[in-house]
Amino acid sequence: MNRIARQIGGWFEARLGIAQALRPILGHRTPRGAKWWYVFGSATLTLFLIQVVTGILLAMVYVPSGDQAYESLQYLNYTQELGWFLRALHNTAASGMVVMLVIHMTQVFLMGAFKYPRELTWLFGVGLLAITMGMAFTGQVLRWDQDAYWGVGVGSAMAGRLPIIGPYMVRLICSGPTIGGETLSRFFALHVFVLPGTLILLVVGHLYLVLRLGISSPPVAGKPVDPKTYDAEYERELANGVTFYPNPIRRDMIFSALTVIVIVALAAMIGPMGPGEPPDPTIIKSDPRPDWEFLPLFGLLALSPAPLEPVAIFGVPAIIGLVLILIPFVGSKGERSPRRRPVAVLSVILFFTTAGVLGWLGHTSPWSPVMDAWSGLPVPERMVKNLRPLELQGAAVFQVKTCRNCHALDGIGGERGPDLTKVATKLTHDELIRQVIQGGGLMPAFGSRLSPAEIDAMVAFLETLRPPGEPPARSAVTARR
Amino acid sequence: MNHGPVHPGEPPIINNADEPDRRGVLKFFSIVLGGIAAAAAGVPVLGYFFGPVTRMLRDKWVDIGAIDEFPTGQTRIVDFENPVRRPWDGVSGKSAAYVRRTGPGEFKVFAINCTHLGCPVSWFPQSGLFLCPCHGGVYYADGERASGPPPRGLYEYAARIEKGRLQILTGHLPTLNDPPSIATEKRA
Amino acid sequence: MSQCVRFITRCMALPLACVISSGCDRPDPANRPLRPSEVLDFGVLYAQNCSGCHGADGKLGPAPPLNDSLFLAMASDADLQRVIAEGRPGTPMSAFARSAGGGLTPQQVTAIVSGMRSKWSAATTRPAAPLSPYLTQVGHGTATAGAAVFSRNCAICHGANGEGASKAGAVNSPAFLALITDQALRRIVITGRPDLGMPDYQHAADGAARPTPLNEQEISDVVALLASWRQTAAQQSGQVAQAAGASR
């Protein structure tokens, strides 16, 4: 039996030569000591394979047309057998792919693995990052709900700011003068043909270079890379190294398997993302937010002052891209160990801190007014209980004039303006009136929008807003001394 | 290796006996014909891909309702069908605008898109403000910028009255360097 | 090693069990996102549109409570629908119907009215005496008679001239009276503000039932009195404005 199997195998092998082709890959020598640091690239690739499979399966049901896409997503979520799970898996694995890719790049950067002779390997990786972010954005558009619609709208508005070519870019992004069915179809073609095709080409190139140049050995402080001696040195390390099969590849497999298990579990627990409300621009009650990958950019765009906005829109992504491209050329020689590269370590920390803070701000978006706070967030009952008739009317005026959309009471409400829970301890009667009438800072002037009685009533209410023990604000003259 | 298939091995290097001028001719034709073929196939492909850019459609007048539907001094939102919509656009082919009637025959029609990054602004009649949910842009009732990141006031559509009905000139997504068209034709 | 294997199998079992048992987050068609205009659930509509001023549970908001069976018994569906749709000009209550520049469809306005009734109407607290009509009858009361009713029934909390006292605030302030209509005053006189301790027309300040509830005439008279205060205040401020204009 065994003999027959071997004969059949041999027959095929003689014609296909697969084992012969694989032997150098599995048998290629890798430096010792790589251990578990080197598993993130293969995990990214594994997740990409999941994306290919789930993507193909979703495309069997999804209808990429302006009028049916939303319906077909609903069908996937609620009717199609396990459609919800496939959607969830595709979304979770996409996030996981971005995470693994970023970890992989960070590890390569910190360990100086991009240095001579692996500059091109790094550049292929940068290309893969760009394409993966492109997949994330186009994928979000295929969700064809409000967030998708306004995501394209925001992307168009950003591109539309470019001088001269701006309007043409808008038409190229939207595939026409406005967002519509053609926009979706084009994003679909990008998401399922163009970008994955490019991605696969880049992966092949990346892997070819990994095999050709070998993986770098773990960095040793005080052992800088010198292109003149590196190759001979690496040969020595390989001679002393281990073959890719069995141990390194086993580590890759175990980590990839664990990653997949976690992703599958998360997909099952979190469920599919959206679709939210239909992509109808006449639904004004909309609160568009990008997916998490783009929240730092969303935050940056809210926080950058108007004159710097073009820099934030075009400059920051361009600078990030340029820096990533230049890294292997600027730093192709020298120390690899993070212990001897404080600038590299600090810039990684700085980058992730900035992205994290911007992303968190983008998530909470304190600059956004809470659109239905005025009618949907009650005035705290403890405040209402002690109000007199004029102050009650004032509190109602405060709500109806949409003050609450930007100002919180007891921490609930908009965060664009200050929380007014204790405003009477900070501003006097006159200062309150002036602030309401004239505005100031980010606050528009309300003078022409309120009657004298409304101002009186609202200020009377605001003057009640102080904790029982604390004294009211004193007049500006005495308080500022 | 004895029983393996015959390996082609390195192809024998045939000493090219072709005359140099024939080699030159082959080289010439391979490049020229290849170039023509690439252009023949590539130009239409690129033309198709960039079609939305090269095909600049002009905006059209769209009916958005009878003027009596809009009370003087108030701002109302209207829905209308986008004039450049495709049959398969579904709800994404709809569009909306804010109509503010400033006098008996005077209208100001604003795009819903924030001039910052295009998100839909909401009108609050109680406070007389437009608020944007994305980055907190605020506009006054007359469309002027009040606060926040927008670089200018709301986009305004050209409007006209035809037989008691309000029409606006629309047909493309208004953006900073491509705001709504200005009416050039004379009123009929 | 075998421990490791066991750990891994356990890890694998989790998602598998989850998928099979569908105990995980399979989306529920009931949570399908709705267009804002399709929402007809009273709880959602009330929370989004009304709770800001009328309180999370229809009381203890700055605006008069809706969770008030007396008010609900008094106001007809048509009254409620009209106020929601068109607002109450002269008070902070704004118009919520789309036709009036708000965001609600006629169906949603109806849903709010019927939701209020089914959630907050209580048959048991129906008043014994016949109810006064909800809507104000113009010119029905007189301020002079109202002054007497006020000093008998209201002054104990609101002060002899409505200037406010320790128990309740002023009701003679020009700004207050400018932001409330006679109709809204009438409603408060009849229903009180039970959530804030103000008794209704059948009860006294201490919460005990009155021997004779305020009658229709008395209610109209008190409203007429408050309206006359408003007029005086408006005239005075008009004079002040004129004087300010003259002095310039």
Side-chain angles (χ1 to χ4, degrees):
Chain A
M1 188 65 200
N2 218 345
R3 211 169 59 92
I4 296 171
R6 205 174 300 150
Q7 268 183 345
I8 294 174
W11 189 88
F12 277 103
E13 176 57 25
R15 280 149 190 85
L16 296 170
I18 286 177
Q20 198 187 355
L22 283 180
R23 202 167 299 131
I25 295 176
L26 294 175
H28 84 274
R29 290 194 159 265
T30 61
R32 269 180 198 282
K35 301 278 172 183
W36 292 97
W37 279 112
Y38 287 29
V39 295
F40 300 110
S42 57
T44 313
L45 183 60
T46 307
L47 290 178
F48 173 63
L49 295 178
I50 289 193
Q51 292 304 81
V52 171
V53 173
T54 53
I56 290 172
L57 290 172
L58 288 173
M60 290 175 180
V61 178
Y62 179 74
V63 183
S65 94
D67 52 351
Q68 295 289 307
Y70 187 79
E71 299 296 316
S72 65
L73 288 169
Q74 303 266 355
Y75 180 84
L76 275 165
N77 267 7
Y78 304 121
T79 313
Q80 167 77 34
E81 191 64 31
L82 285 173
W84 69 273
F85 181 73
L86 262 286
R87 285 200 66 232
L89 187 56
H90 198 65
N91 182 55
T92 318
S95 296
M97 194 175 150
V98 174
V99 169
M100 284 299 163
L101 185 54
V102 170
I103 294 177
H104 178 53
M105 280 189 99
T106 309
Q107 173 262 322
V108 165
F109 177 72
L110 283 178
M111 294 200 166
F114 59 86
K115 288 177 186 280
Y116 176 89
R118 301 185 181 81
E119 298 95 333
L120 283 179
T121 323
W122 169 268
L123 286 191
F124 272 91
V126 173
L128 285 166
L129 176 72
I131 301 284
T132 305
M133 295 311 279
M135 290 296 281
F137 184 75
T138 51
Q140 181 189 328
V141 174
L142 299 197
R143 212 187 298 130
W144 210 229
D145 55 3
Q146 292 254 294
D147 283 352
Y149 185 96
W150 294 112
V152 179
V154 169
S156 303
M158 283 165 67
R161 290 196 168 204
L162 283 168
I164 305 165
I165 61 163
Y168 302 100
M169 290 300 293
V170 173
R171 281 168 161 75
L172 191 60
I173 292 172
C174 300
S175 309
T178 60
I179 303 167
E182 273 186 74
T183 318
L184 175 65
S185 301
R186 200 170 272 230
F187 271 89
F188 181 77
L190 283 176
H191 187 79
V192 305
F193 299 119
V194 181
L195 292 178
T198 319
L199 193 66
I200 289 169
L201 287 180
L202 289 178
V203 166
V204 168
H206 194 68
L207 290 181
Y208 168 75
L209 288 176
V210 167
L211 288 174
R212 182 176 147 72
L213 304 169
I215 58 164
S216 65
S217 47
V220 178
K223 221 172 111 184
V225 173
D226 179 356
K228 290 187 194 114
T229 57
Y230 181 82
D231 292 335
E233 175 70 20
Y234 187 64
E235 282 303 317
R236 269 199 301 283
E237 280 170 357
L238 284 192
N240 189 29
V242 293
T243 52
F244 185 49
Y245 180 88
N247 283 348
I249 197 177
R250 287 264 156 83
R251 277 192 206 103
D252 280 337
M253 289 165 84
I254 288 174
F255 184 75
S256 286
L258 284 175
T259 306
V260 171
I261 289 162
V262 168
I263 290 290
V264 168
L266 282 177
M269 284 187 288
I270 297 169
M273 182 161 182
E277 286 167 16
D280 183 345
T282 66
I283 302 176
I284 292 293
K285 257 190 166 181
S286 171
D287 194 10
R289 286 289 176 274
D291 284 2
W292 68 270
E293 297 94 334
F294 299 99
L295 281 176
L297 185 62
F298 180 76
L300 182 69
L301 292 177
L303 296 176
S304 64
L308 290 181
E309 204 138 58
V311 180
I313 294 175
F314 307 110
V316 170
I319 288 171
I320 291 177
L322 198 66
V323 166
L324 288 176
I325 288 170
L326 287 181
I327 278 174
F329 300 107
V330 173
S332 80
K333 296 182 221 169
E335 283 286 349
R336 286 185 52 212
S337 168
R339 286 156 203 254
R340 298 281 172 95
R341 289 164 61 225
V343 176
V345 176
L346 277 180
S347 50
V348 165
I349 293 172
L350 190 69
F351 176 81
F352 281 104
T353 315
T354 314
V357 168
L358 284 175
W360 173 250
L361 287 174
H363 174 66
T364 54
S365 47
W367 52 77
S368 292
V370 178
M371 299 304 260
D372 53 6
W374 68 282
S375 61
L377 295 181
V379 179
E381 289 183 1
R382 66 165 189 88
M383 292 180 181
V384 174
K385 273 180 185 157
N386 301 315
L387 296 183
R388 291 171 298 176
L390 175 65
E391 296 150 4
L392 282 172
Q393 293 307 93
V397 171
F398 178 82
Q399 292 287 109
V400 163
K401 294 295 172 181
T402 60
C403 307
R404 196 75 185 279
N405 290 20
C406 294
H407 291 288
L409 294 176
D410 275 353
I412 299 167
E415 293 173 51
R416 189 162 179 77
D419 188 317
L420 298 182
T421 310
K422 295 179 180 179
V423 71
T425 64
K426 298 183 191 99
L427 296 181
T428 63
H429 178 82
D430 291 352
E431 288 168 334
L432 284 169
I433 289 182
R434 193 173 58 219
Q435 183 65 30
V436 169
I437 292 179
Q438 298 179 352
L442 288 171
M443 178 165 163
F446 277 80
S448 59
R449 265 158 280 281
L450 296 170
S451 70
E454 284 171 331
I455 294 174
D456 279 357
M458 193 156 80
V459 169
F461 163 64
L462 293 174
E463 282 182 281
T464 67
L465 295 181
R466 62 188 167 87
E470 289 185 41
R474 285 183 301 165
S475 88
V477 185
T478 35
R480 293 220 176 107
R481 288 237 167 100
Chain B
M1 290 308 264
N2 293 349
H3 307 290
V6 180
H7 271 265
E10 293 295 309
I13 295 162
I14 298 163
N15 199 355
N16 203 332
D18 288 349
E19 306 90 288
D21 59 328
R22 186 185 290 177
R23 238 201 293 176
V25 167
L26 284 179
K27 184 181 172 190
F28 175 80
F29 275 105
S30 68
I31 290 174
V32 167
L33 283 179
I36 292 172
V43 167
V45 163
L46 289 178
Y48 180 94
F49 183 79
F50 289 103
V53 179
T54 51
R55 179 186 72 215
M56 289 293 247
L57 297 172
R58 297 191 58 185
D59 287 356
K60 296 192 180 75
W61 287 102
V62 177
D63 189 310
I64 56 170
I67 56 170
D68 305 339
E69 293 170 25
F70 307 106
T72 305
Q74 294 192 26
T75 300
R76 291 293 161 80
I77 190 163
V78 283
D79 301 354
F80 55 93
E81 295 279 316
N82 191 342
V84 292
R85 74 196 305 275
R86 301 268 173 265
W88 59 91
D89 272 4
V91 290
S92 64
K94 294 209 265 180
S95 194
Y98 286 108
V99 180
R100 173 176 158 82
R101 186 170 190 173
T102 48
E106 289 165 45
F107 291 88
K108 272 176 167 287
V109 185
F110 302 113
I112 55 169
N113 305 90
C114 182
T115 57
H116 178 225
L117 289 175
C119 290
V121 296
S122 285
W123 164 246
F124 290 92
Q126 299 82 6
S127 51
L129 296 172
F130 293 96
L131 299 183
C132 178
C134 285
H135 297 110
V138 186
Y139 305 84
Y140 291 120
D142 61 359
E144 287 301 308
R145 173 188 175 276
S147 128
R152 52 160 284 177
L154 288 174
Y155 303 117
E156 193 179 336
Y157 291 112
R160 68 178 187 190
I161 299 165
E162 286 283 318
K163 299 193 183 90
R165 297 191 67 83
L166 188 59
Q167 298 186 336
I168 59 170
L169 191 56
T170 181
H172 72 272
L173 187 70
T175 50
L176 206 55
N177 290 331
D178 194 15
S181 308
I182 300 159
T184 48
E185 57 192 278
K186 288 270 161 253
R187 278 176 60 178
Chain C
M1 190 64 199
S2 70
Q3 257 186 335
C4 190
V5 169
R6 215 177 300 147
F7 172 74
I8 289 170
T9 41
R10 209 175 291 166
C11 283
M12 292 238 261
L14 172 80
L16 281 178
C18 198
V19 173
I20 292 162
S21 70
S22 79
C24 28
D25 210 26
R26 183 185 177 145
D28 180 354
N31 300 332
R32 197 181 288 240
L34 289 174
R35 292 166 161 269
S37 61
E38 287 170 348
V39 177
L40 288 175
D41 177 69
F42 170 70
V44 176
L45 286 173
Y46 180 85
Q48 279 176 357
N49 297 287
C50 321
S51 68
C53 290
H54 292 284
D57 190 32
K59 55 186 181 185
L60 284 170
L66 305 173
N67 181 357
D68 178 340
S69 52
L70 184 56
F71 165 68
L72 290 173
M74 197 168 72
S76 71
D77 280 4
D79 291 333
L80 294 172
Q81 274 165 17
R82 198 193 60 250
V83 172
I84 295 171
E86 296 162 20
R88 259 204 228 242
T91 75
M93 175 71 189
S94 48
F96 280 82
R98 280 198 165 194
S99 56
L104 298 180
T105 64
Q107 293 81 1
Q108 289 176 317
V109 172
T110 315
I112 291 178
V113 171
S114 56
M116 273 161 56
R117 290 227 182 275
S118 65
K119 194 167 176 202
W120 292 325
S121 285
T124 48
T125 54
R126 263 184 186 281
L131 270 174
S132 292
Y134 172 65
L135 297 178
T136 308
Q137 280 123 37
V138 181
H140 194 61
T142 58
T144 16
V149 181
F150 190 90
S151 61
R152 267 203 311 279
N153 301 292
C154 320
I156 183 169
C157 293
H158 288 291
N161 298 304
E163 73 280 8
S166 61
K167 218 172 164 193
V171 288
N172 67 351
S173 111
F176 167 70
L177 291 168
L179 295 174
I180 192 162
T181 56
D182 291 358
Q183 173 61 50
L185 286 169
R186 174 186 178 82
R187 182 243 144 122
I188 302 273
V189 169
I190 299 174
T191 65
R193 287 242 15 197
D195 50 343
L196 296 178
M198 173 175 172
D200 63 27
Y201 75 112
Q202 303 177 91
H203 292 86
D206 56 5
R210 293 167 180 279
T212 49
L214 290 181
N215 63 31
E216 170 54 29
Q217 187 60 47
E218 288 169 322
I219 291 166
S220 297
D221 289 340
V222 172
V223 172
L225 174 73
L226 290 163
S228 76
W229 287 345
R230 180 197 292 127
Q231 223 169 350
T232 321
Q235 276 164 5
Q236 275 168 1
S237 73
Q239 279 160 10
V240 171
Q242 271 175 7
S247 71
R248 237 172 247 160

